[in-house]
Amino acid sequence: MKNLRNISTKTILLLGGMVFGLIGCSEDDETPDQGEVIVPSQSLKMDLTQFKREDGGVFMQAFYWDVEPIGGWYDQVASEVEEWANAGVNRIWLPSPSKGASGSFSMGYDPMDYFDVGEFSQRGDENVETRFGSRQELESLIQKSHANNIEVIADVVMGHNSGGGLQYNPYRDAEVFSLFNEENGNASGKFNRNFEHFHPNAIVDADEEALFFAETDLSHAVPYVQEWLWGRDDSVAEFYKSLGFDGWRFDYVKSFAPKWVKAWNDKVGGFSVGENFDGNQQVLKDWVDASGSPAFDFACFYRLDETLDRAQDLTALGDAGNMLRKLDPSNAVTFAANHDTEKDENPDNRISYGKKLLAYSYILTHDGYPTVFYLDYHAFKGQLNTLIEIYNTLAVGDVEVLVANKDEYIMKRGGSGDNPGLILYMNISQQTKQYTVKTNWANKTLVDYTDNSRATPTTNSEGTATIYAPAGSYSIWSITKE
């Protein structure tokens, strides 16, 4: 954990302070007239527990690339689930549990034996555990998560395979590593495979999907493959379910048709989400409609990366339909980082740490189902716990964009019943900003529930007030307690 602590310290230092305000233009001022200014205290804030949503909850990606310690990751996660549950997390996502071709170094994305989750010796390797631990440690983690009302989601890699034996493939007229049996990377003896189960084969010359690695991408058109992956009572899907998993994250769904995700879910049920690595919101929506499964909102991720980092202009956040969460919020799983983006050397494929909390302020106040990345949680725990609490309480009602310009983005959630909702104010300029907005609250004192602003503005009889946001930061406003 030494490296993790170093990362956390560095990223926290990169972030400086944070704060934020609609009618008329915004004002730039290093020290604006903030009206009645006091230091917000808990005595001003409502008790948010009274607004706890039954449909709330946040998704935690409970790993990062090349997690350490090797063989001890399940135990590490188990030590944290109670804290996450208390923070408002309701699901955790674990890496693919099956034994990979690189053994104890595998992150699970080179699946070899789907039925070996840390209990078989493979190809003479004396270490039977996966990089994450043993089967017993996995089952213990799942049980502890359930005891804390957290569901556990398995990463399902049902496209590409690795680590098989070399054999001649007549459909390719070449030798391919496609032989999986007890002697060749499949010690469990279940779901043995050969060249007939990959691309091409006797059933298909070529599939329409965008294959990841065609020679060893499973062909789901083959009935034998369907049966072993999800159809049989002792299939991979049923095996994962027997371990205690509650749902599925489908890896690289571009390499197989969405109907196969639907077939898996129809057989075993549970929450699911697909990794359709595409920034086009309509592509994501079409996949959701065809699969019947939610998808990670890569369109939202890329809009946030573009506006916060590349363009440094928040105007595009106000566009009507440039994210999956705008087209289909109930099926949009939003995120600010994941294991792939954080190891990508291309800065256009990740949100910089200096803008990370701004991105989280967006996804944890808007509709959609937000995901928190493990390393980000450790780097910004206090701020993220506050944002998670706000998401699970005040982030209700219709989303209305009030302002979207180069430096500012202001959004209002309309609330519901006794729940007053909120106003998010993001400011990426180098100066404190203020803006006069029309709220839903007449004659009310407001407070920033993130404590990034110290102002306590008061609305007039029409609900108008001036709100504030610090330089390079955000604020989230709602009414004070009566």
Side-chain angles (χ1 to χ4, degrees):
M1 300 299 294
K2 179 178 180 181
N3 290 338
L4 178 58
R5 287 196 296 269
N6 289 340
I7 291 172
S8 302
T9 302
K10 177 181 178 182
T11 53
I12 290 170
L13 290 174
L14 284 172
L15 279 159
M18 303 204 157
V19 193
F20 254 87
L22 167 217
I23 298 172
C25 300
S26 64
E27 302 176 25
D28 295 344
D29 194 335
E30 291 293 344
T31 56
D33 178 8
Q34 298 195 14
E36 306 168 58
V37 179
I38 63 172
V39 177
S41 68
Q42 292 305 315
S43 63
L44 283 175
K45 296 179 181 178
M46 297 178 291
D47 178 5
L48 295 187
T49 60
Q50 66 182 305
F51 303 122
K52 189 172 182 181
R53 296 161 47 189
E54 292 183 2
D55 64 342
V58 169
F59 200 19
M60 172 71 74
Q61 180 176 354
F63 66 97
Y64 56 95
W65 199 256
D66 288 342
V67 295
E68 292 183 349
I70 291 176
W73 190 247
Y74 291 142
D75 288 341
Q76 175 61 37
V77 173
S79 73
E80 301 186 55
V81 293
E82 185 174 358
E83 176 185 7
W84 297 342
N86 291 335
V89 171
N90 70 335
R91 291 188 180 98
I92 61 171
W93 158 28
L94 296 181
S96 176
S98 299
K99 187 70 65 68
S102 48
S104 60
F105 294 99
S106 172
M107 280 298 297
Y109 295 95
D110 53 347
M112 185 171 64
D113 188 339
Y114 284 99
F115 291 89
D116 180 2
V117 294
E119 56 182 327
F120 292 98
S121 173
Q122 299 277 0
R123 300 183 302 187
D125 186 354
E126 295 181 359
N127 184 10
V128 301
E129 293 188 349
T130 67
R131 185 182 190 109
F132 317 114
S134 67
R135 174 174 178 169
Q136 181 180 359
E137 290 165 344
L138 170 60
E139 291 179 313
S140 177
L141 163 59
I142 293 173
Q143 291 167 8
K144 184 172 182 181
S145 298
H146 289 168
N148 284 278
N149 297 313
I150 290 179
E151 291 188 353
V152 184
I153 308 306
D155 209 318
V156 177
V157 186
M158 66 175 187
H160 47 284
N161 287 182
S162 300
L166 190 65
Q167 64 175 168
Y168 176 71
N169 184 333
Y171 302 105
R172 291 186 174 278
D173 191 23
E175 289 192 321
V176 177
F177 291 96
S178 55
L179 180 62
F180 293 83
N181 55 26
E182 290 84 341
E183 293 75 36
N184 294 276
N186 204 52
S188 69
K190 295 182 177 181
F191 193 18
N192 285 337
R193 287 144 279 161
N194 60 45
F195 62 83
E196 290 284 3
H197 308 126
F198 298 95
H199 298 271
N201 53 62
I203 297 176
V204 291
D205 292 329
D207 286 350
E208 72 279 7
E209 293 85 42
L211 301 175
F212 185 80
F213 189 69
E215 288 84 351
T216 53
D217 256 36
L218 286 167
S219 175
H220 301 83
V222 179
Y224 176 86
V225 173
Q226 297 176 32
E227 285 299 306
W228 269 111
L229 283 177
W230 65 81
R232 299 164 56 116
D233 289 339
D234 60 347
S235 66
V236 175
E238 294 288 357
F239 173 60
Y240 283 1
K241 192 173 180 179
S242 74
L243 294 169
F245 283 110
D246 304 286
W248 330 104
R249 179 266 189 186
F250 292 98
D251 181 67
Y252 196 67
V253 299
K254 285 181 178 290
S255 69
F256 48 88
K259 63 183 177 181
W260 306 131
V261 169
K262 186 176 188 306
W264 176 298
N265 286 333
D266 286 347
K267 180 61 166 62
V268 295
F271 170 83
S272 72
V273 57
E275 184 207 24
N276 194 328
F277 214 117
D278 201 299
N280 185 308
Q281 64 277 4
Q282 193 59 53
V283 170
L284 300 178
K285 174 61 174 166
D286 291 345
W287 185 88
V288 165
D289 291 343
S291 67
S293 171
F296 281 112
D297 195 347
F298 278 89
C300 177
F301 169 78
Y302 281 118
R303 294 302 88 71
L304 289 171
D305 179 39
E306 172 192 358
T307 56
L308 292 172
D309 278 332
R310 284 176 277 151
Q312 298 184 45
D313 183 341
L314 300 182
T315 306
L317 292 182
D319 291 349
N322 59 4
M323 303 176 186
L324 178 60
R325 57 150 289 270
K326 295 181 181 181
L327 300 181
D328 192 353
S330 65
N331 285 306
V333 180
T334 55
F335 66 100
N338 64 31
H339 59 296
D340 286 323
T341 65
E342 291 306 284
K343 67 182 177 66
D344 196 324
E345 295 182 359
N346 183 353
D348 290 348
N349 287 332
R350 66 176 183 271
I351 296 171
S352 64
Y353 265 95
K355 302 294 178 61
K356 195 69 71 70
L357 279 174
L358 280 160
Y360 277 111
S361 76
Y362 184 93
I363 68 171
L364 286 162
T365 52
H366 287 70
D367 43 15
Y369 181 39
T371 308
V372 174
F373 181 53
Y374 181 90
L375 289 180
D376 290 346
Y377 185 76
H378 278 266
F380 314 117
K381 185 179 295 186
Q383 298 97 321
L384 286 176
N385 281 344
T386 296
L387 289 172
I388 291 170
E389 181 183 29
I390 289 171
Y391 175 81
N392 283 327
T393 54
L394 295 175
V396 298
D398 292 339
V399 173
E400 181 183 355
V401 177
L402 303 179
V403 175
N405 60 37
K406 185 178 188 303
D407 293 331
E408 299 157 292
Y409 174 84
I410 306 175
M411 178 277 296
K412 177 170 66 177
R413 296 297 299 265
S416 177
D418 293 334
N419 189 323
L422 57 80
I423 294 177
L424 166 70
Y425 190 171
M426 298 168 62
N427 170 19
I428 62 170
S429 77
Q430 296 182 8
Q431 296 175 310
T432 297
K433 290 278 190 173
Q434 63 183 65
Y435 217 107
T436 302
V437 300
K438 179 67 177 296
T439 78
N440 294 336
W441 316 304
N443 301 314
K444 296 289 186 180
T445 299
L446 309 184
V447 67
D448 171 20
Y449 277 77
T450 70
D451 289 335
N452 287 334
S453 171
R454 299 182 303 159
T456 55
T458 300
T459 64
N460 63 19
S461 60
E462 296 181 348
T464 300
T466 299
I467 58 176
Y468 307 86
S473 188
Y474 59 91
S475 54
I476 299 174
W477 301 90
S478 193
I479 62 175
T480 58
K481 67 181 182 180
E482 296 295 336

